[in-house]
Every structure is written in structure tokens, then in C-alpha cells.
Amino acid sequence: MCGIVGCVGHGDDTLDVLLDGLETLEYRGYDSAGVALVGDSLIVKKREGRLERLREAIETSDRPGGTLGIGHTRWSTHGPPTDANAHPHTDESGRVAVVHNGIIENYQPLRDKLEADGVTFTSDTDTEVVPHLIAAFLQDGLDPEAAFRRALDRIEGSYAIAAVVAGDDRIYAARNDSPLVVGVGDGRFYLGSDVPAFLEHTRDVVFLDDGDLVVVDADGWQVTDADGAPAEKEVTTVTWSAEQTGKSGYDHYMLKEIHEQPTALRQGLSGRLDELAGTVSVEELSGIEAPGAVQLVACGTSYHAALYGVELFRQAGIPAQAFLASEYATGPAPVLEDGIVVGVTQSGETADTLSALREAQARGIETLAVTNGVGSTAARECDHALFIRSGPEIGVAATKTFSSQLIALNLLVETLAPGDRGDTRTLVSALRDLPGDIQEVLDETAAETVVEENAGRDAFFFIGRGENFPVALEGALKFKEITYEHAEGFAAGELKHGPLALVTDRTPVFAVVTGNDERARKTIGNVKEVEARDAPVVAVTDGASDVERYADHVLSIPETHPRTAPVLANVQLQLVAYHMANQLGREIDKPRNLAKSVTVE
């Protein structure tokens, strides 16, 4: 959530670089945007609403110039979305401008003290204390870097902060529990809350750590730690290009990323399967011993992946639990002996998940991150990292990252608890075929027809058992995220313990039924329960059972291994959510109130 961009060394096109960078960060979720440019003076332009309103405001006034600048897209926390609350924020004289991601926890006492000193605030935000603090230290005679550092010493909380000062040709930035990246170009340098902010200009990046302070000017960048000592940083070249973050002819990023899943899974499996031997080998996991127990911590879609992982670990004979990361970090410490805590996080920057992992580390427990963020905080701080390799995902509603997480968790379980060689060989074969199976689903899906015949209903329920239960939860989450319609996911056997009271002929039920084991047969019994109450039934099935005879609609998937079938079922439910949202005219890639990367607790 929220986006930061900054650039130095571009000259007359600085403003265009900032605006284009903000546009690439729109996927993070925001409700206002603004820029600050430094030339002969400091000029700030900001507007509530979408980036188009900021562009319009700039084009209808004197176009600001500058040789360096910072920009921001804000997702409201302190104060509603208004022009005044939009970033950048300035001091009273307009000498200092600041953009900020995160939350300043002690902003109220700081604000009270500043107001007592005669400072007038113009916004409701926590961020505005920062430029006023910097200005006060400048007034005391400190140089801009020292004033910036002193201001950081006064604030508590999570932040990625970038500041500029009129008459000074540098950008000052720092991070603490919120991501910030430096882009290294040829005589041009950048800042971003995420790599896409400047990917059009350079693929060489420096990932900052908590406590780092960076000064960027036309001559380069310098990083120091919290004590002011020089910090050695490695320049990393990201492997994906700016073209990969475009829509490639699709109407929405989400649809593009749904269709990218065969490629994403091939990337995630590449070099990790020995098809001749029928074994799994993941280099990143070579130093981990088989744990006595596993705890998985995650949020949102990643939590559903964690629930799926729990099922796999338990099948392999390893006790496992999944925790919502926010509850793990703030509740009583769960007991874990001879075990490992696995953080499942798409970005590797999810604040609640990072807190949970740090709590585990404080208790001396080994940690592992399952993430898409190679240079992310989770990947750097955990003892181990397993990268899902799904490539950039721009749509707020996760699609290919979820599928890639499910595959990564299969690889993790097979590495830590290898099963019977025959079973593993069968799974490896299914994993090898999975990208092609997903392509078959994409080519032959009836999701759009199902949507056309069920639009306008009162609510939508999703049910499943075993590995299919997390898929039911994820199907409901994806549906509600982008359609804004009421949807709920349930363990199929729980319907009769309360939710059945909500079932009517106006509540379609999506039943995920794969295989023909006891779980499938019991789920069919639950389907009969809702059918008897005239609820429309949509079966997502591989055809191994006879659930089709009780269904009004069927979304078919190829027959496969029980552990890969949920991945295919999930693709069908992603398409259902997408087509329903598209029919309703929703803003699919940027659903209201949501952000791609949740970097506050």
C-alpha cells in the first residue's frame, strides 16, 4: 500500500519520470497522489483521487520544473482522502517536502509538542510531523542530512521516508519496516517503494535494510546505517523487464496474470524436478533438516496457501499448524519444539507476517520465507528462503502468486519429508504436466457462461474438503475482492452446522469435488443438502465422482494427482470471479479499499 518514487539526474523530464513511476505503482492501491520537484524553488502538486486528477491539475497550471523530485500515491490511514492529506507534506515555509509509507506511532505527542511551539498543521496525517521536525532542525543550523537523521531519531513506527529540501540537490531517504529500493542507472538514480517504480529506466537495484539511510544525488548514492557508519550494499540486477509489467493486450492485469499461470509454474518448477528419477531437489532448501513440527504464518490469500501446506505436511506425518500472522505476532506464543516457522508472503514485505517471523526468531526458532520477493525483507531476514518465481504480479487480487505458492509448498514438503518413492514419482509427473493442464482449463473453461446465468444472485457460497477447503476459501475471497458481492467459503461439512440457514434458491453454491475418495463422497452429500433447498450448484470437478448429476453447471478440470487438482480448481474459480467483476463493471485491477502490498499492521 502507498507508493514512493524519486529520481535524480533526469533534468527537464523529471516530472514525467515521477508521474510514470507513480502510474506503475497504481497496483499497490491508493486514493490520492502528489509530487514535489526541486529546482530554483520547491514546488508541490497533489490531488485526492486517481492519478489522472493530478495530471489534469498539472496541465492546467504552470508546469513545474526541477532537476530532482519525489512522488507518492497514498492509501489513507490517518485522515480521509483529501487534497490536504495527500503527500508530499511540507513545513510551514515550504522549504521541506516529505513522502512516507507506514505509520508513525508517536505522531500525536510529536504533533502536540510542535503545535505548542507554534507550528500550524494543515493535514490530519501522521506524516506531517516529519517535515516540521526537519525544518526545526534546519532552523537550529543543522545541514539537511543531519536534520533528516535527527528527525528520524524522534519518530517511532514503520516507515519508508523520502525528503527533499529547497536549494539542495539531494534526496534523503530511510526505511524501517517498510520497503524502499534504490535504482542505479547511468548518471541517473532512483528511489521506489517497489522495483516497478523505475524499471523502465534500470534493472540494477539496491535493496535497503531496516535502519539504512540513503542519500541520492546526480553523482550516485551513499548508504549509512542508523549510527551513521557507511553500509556496504550490493547492486542486484532483477531478472524481469518493464515489458513483463504491461498488460500485453489483455483488458486487465488480472486476466493477463491468470493466463500467465502455465509460464509461472514452469518457472517455479524449473530445475527442481528430476523427472527420470522421480524426485524433488530444491537447492535453497539443502541446509534444512527435517523438522519435528511446522508452523505456517500468513495473511489473506497467502494464509489460504498456508492452510493447503498444513494439509500436505500432515499427510507427510509432520505436525503442522497455520496461523494468521497478525494473531501469531500479538497473541500468546504457540509452543513449538524442534520445529520451523514458515512465513508465506507474496511480496516478502507483509508487515504482519514479518512481525510473526521476527517473533519466532526472538524465540530462537528457525524460519523460512516462501516468497516471490527475491530481495525482500522476509527473504533477507529469514534463515532460509524458497522463491516461488512467479514473476511480477500487478493486479491487486493475487492469482498466479497463489498457484505458485501451492506448488512451492509441494516442493517444500517433498524436500523436508520425502514420501514413498512411488508416490513421489506420481506427484512429480503431475507437477510436470500441471502447466499444460492449466492451459487446458484456460482454453476450455465455461466460467463466463456460469457467470451469465448466475449474475444478480443474493450471495455466493464456496465449499470443499481437505486440500480443496483452502481453495474454497480463496475462491470466495477472490470473488468478494473484485466483485464487491457477498461471498463466503466453508468447509463442506460445516454447512449443516449453521451456514445452511442462509442457503436459498438465490444463493449459488460452488462445490470443489475432486477424486472419488471418502472426502469427495461426503462433499457430494453436502451438495445434495443444498440441492434439496433449491440452491443452484456449480461443481468444479475432475469427473472422477458423480457430482455432475447433482449440479446445474460444471466447471471441468483434467484428472491429475490429488495434490495438484486444487490448483486447477482454483483457476476455474479465479475465472468466475474475473468474469463476474467484469460483467458488473468493477475496477478489477484496483479494487476499492485494497492494496497489493500491506506494509502496515
Side-chain angles (χ1 to χ4, degrees):
M1 61 178 59
C2 300
I4 288 175
V5 63
C7 69
V8 177
H10 267 272
D12 292 341
D13 63 344
T14 297
L15 176 60
D16 292 326
V17 173
L18 294 176
L19 292 174
D20 291 346
L22 293 179
E23 186 172 349
T24 65
L25 293 175
E26 286 188 299
Y27 69 93
R28 293 173 69 91
Y30 73 105
D31 47 42
S32 61
V35 294
L37 291 104
V38 178
D40 294 333
S41 61
L42 177 63
I43 300 173
V44 174
K45 297 287 185 180
K46 55 184 183 176
R47 285 293 184 273
E48 176 272 331
R50 292 300 184 188
L51 190 59
E52 290 80 3
R53 293 199 66 234
L54 176 62
R55 289 185 183 272
E56 291 168 1
I58 290 171
E59 295 305 324
T60 56
S61 63
D62 292 335
R63 182 177 174 86
T67 58
L68 63 95
I70 54 177
H72 190 267
T73 51
R74 175 182 185 249
W75 192 85
S76 298
T77 54
H78 294 69
T82 63
D83 289 355
N85 287 334
H87 295 215
H89 289 287
T90 64
D91 67 311
E92 289 182 287
S93 69
R95 183 184 179 189
V96 180
V98 167
V99 295
H100 163 233
N101 291 352
I103 292 179
I104 297 173
E105 296 173 356
N106 64 331
Y107 89 97
Q108 193 61 59
L110 290 174
R111 178 168 179 151
D112 292 344
K113 175 63 166 61
L114 287 164
E115 288 180 327
D117 291 340
V119 173
T120 299
F121 281 73
T122 60
S123 78
D124 304 313
T125 69
D126 55 335
T127 302
E128 195 183 347
V129 300
V130 182
H132 292 306
L133 286 171
I134 295 173
F137 291 124
L138 289 172
Q139 186 68 28
D140 290 341
L142 297 182
D143 63 65
E145 181 178 349
F148 182 67
R149 192 179 293 277
R150 286 285 299 276
L152 294 179
D153 290 341
R154 296 285 301 277
I155 65 177
E156 300 171 2
S158 63
Y159 56 78
I161 294 177
V164 291
V165 179
D168 188 85
D169 61 359
R170 293 169 288 184
I171 300 175
Y172 305 91
R175 69 156 285 174
N176 184 57
D177 289 342
S178 192
L180 195 61
V181 187
V182 178
V184 180
D186 184 11
R188 296 172 173 179
F189 302 91
Y190 308 87
L191 283 171
S193 49
D194 203 354
V195 173
F198 49 74
L199 191 59
E200 179 183 352
H201 305 286
T202 183
R203 291 166 57 190
D204 293 335
V205 304
V206 177
F207 294 101
L208 300 181
D209 293 306
D210 286 347
D212 284 345
L213 185 152
V214 63
V215 179
V216 184
D217 59 24
D219 295 323
W221 51 276
Q222 303 84 36
V223 179
T224 53
D225 62 20
D227 297 322
E232 293 295 325
K233 293 293 174 183
E234 179 182 357
V235 177
T236 302
T237 301
V238 298
T239 57
W240 35 280
S241 66
E243 288 74 20
Q244 288 178 272
T245 63
K247 291 183 182 177
S248 304
Y250 288 92
D251 290 336
H252 299 93
Y253 284 113
M254 181 180 180
L255 185 60
K256 172 189 176 237
E257 288 154 4
I258 289 172
H259 281 264
E260 284 178 340
Q261 288 177 115
T263 298
L265 266 59
R266 288 189 184 98
Q267 292 170 172
L269 294 169
S270 178
R272 293 168 165 177
L273 299 180
D274 187 331
E275 297 175 27
L276 292 177
T279 57
V280 170
S281 178
V282 183
E283 183 179 355
E284 300 103 298
L285 305 178
S286 59
I288 306 179
E289 296 181 0
V294 176
Q295 291 175 348
L296 297 99
V297 293
C299 305
T301 287
S302 295
Y303 177 68
H304 299 155
L307 290 172
Y308 170 86
V310 164
E311 181 73 18
L312 302 191
F313 274 113
R314 289 175 177 173
Q315 289 176 10
I318 295 180
Q321 297 172 282
F323 296 88
L324 290 165
S326 56
E327 296 297 319
Y328 187 96
T330 58
V335 176
L336 181 64
E337 296 181 3
D338 187 29
I340 188 169
V341 171
V342 177
V344 186
T345 163
Q346 296 155 19
S347 66
E349 303 291 351
T350 308
D352 288 317
T353 306
L354 290 174
S355 292
L357 289 167
R358 289 164 180 163
E359 171 65 24
Q361 289 174 323
R363 292 158 47 204
I365 301 173
E366 191 174 17
T367 57
L368 180 147
V370 176
T371 183
N372 198 36
V374 174
S376 65
T377 302
R380 297 197 308 273
E381 290 189 1
C382 284
D383 299 304
H384 313 278
L386 172 58
F387 298 112
I388 66 174
R389 302 177 179 172
S390 67
E393 185 175 72
I394 305 301
V396 169
T399 51
K400 65 177 181 177
T401 51
F402 178 68
S403 296
S404 297
Q405 286 172 336
L406 301 189
I407 297 312
L409 288 167
N410 270 284
L411 299 178
L412 177 62
V413 171
E414 287 304 307
T415 301
L416 298 187
D420 177 85
R421 178 57 59 86
D423 291 342
T424 302
R425 182 180 294 276
T426 303
L427 175 63
V428 167
S429 177
L431 290 171
R432 177 200 62 205
D433 294 340
L434 190 55
D437 289 341
I438 291 178
Q439 191 61 56
E440 182 178 332
V441 170
L442 295 171
D443 293 341
E444 300 180 5
T445 182
E448 195 165 5
T449 299
V450 170
V451 164
E452 289 171 354
E453 298 192 19
N454 287 279
R457 305 285 189 174
D458 295 340
F460 300 82
F461 298 149
F462 297 76
I463 62 173
R465 288 176 184 262
E467 303 100 319
N468 291 329
F469 170 47
V471 170
L473 294 177
E474 176 61 14
L477 177 62
K478 209 58 53 199
F479 196 92
K480 69 180 77 173
E481 278 182 316
I482 62 170
T483 70
Y484 311 154
E485 299 293 303
H486 182 71
E488 295 293 340
F490 302 104
E494 287 298 296
L495 277 178
K496 57 186 174 292
H497 296 288
L500 201 58
L502 301 174
V503 172
T504 71
D505 61 357
R506 301 275 306 164
T507 55
V509 176
F510 290 80
V512 184
V513 186
T514 58
N516 192 29
D517 58 8
E518 182 180 8
R519 285 175 170 172
R521 292 190 292 274
K522 287 184 177 295
T523 306
I524 290 172
N526 303 129
V527 167
K528 292 178 181 178
E529 291 172 349
V530 300
E531 182 198 34
R533 288 152 180 85
D534 298 322
V537 174
V538 181
V540 185
T541 183
D542 54 10
S545 66
D546 63 348
V547 68
E548 297 96 324
R549 65 185 293 186
Y550 306 106
D552 298 279
H553 305 281
V554 175
L555 295 172
S556 297
I557 64 172
E559 286 194 61
T560 184
H561 193 280
R563 282 165 55 173
T564 51
V567 182
L568 299 175
N570 175 65
V571 175
Q572 288 283 24
L573 296 181
Q574 290 173 347
L575 290 165
V576 167
Y578 172 81
H579 287 299
M580 183 66 80
N582 198 36
Q583 180 165 310
L584 293 170
R586 307 302 192 213
E587 197 167 5
I588 291 173
D589 289 328
K590 293 173 282 185
R592 67 188 183 200
N593 303 330
L594 300 180
K596 182 64 177 173
S597 182
V598 184
T599 56
V600 295
E601 294 182 69

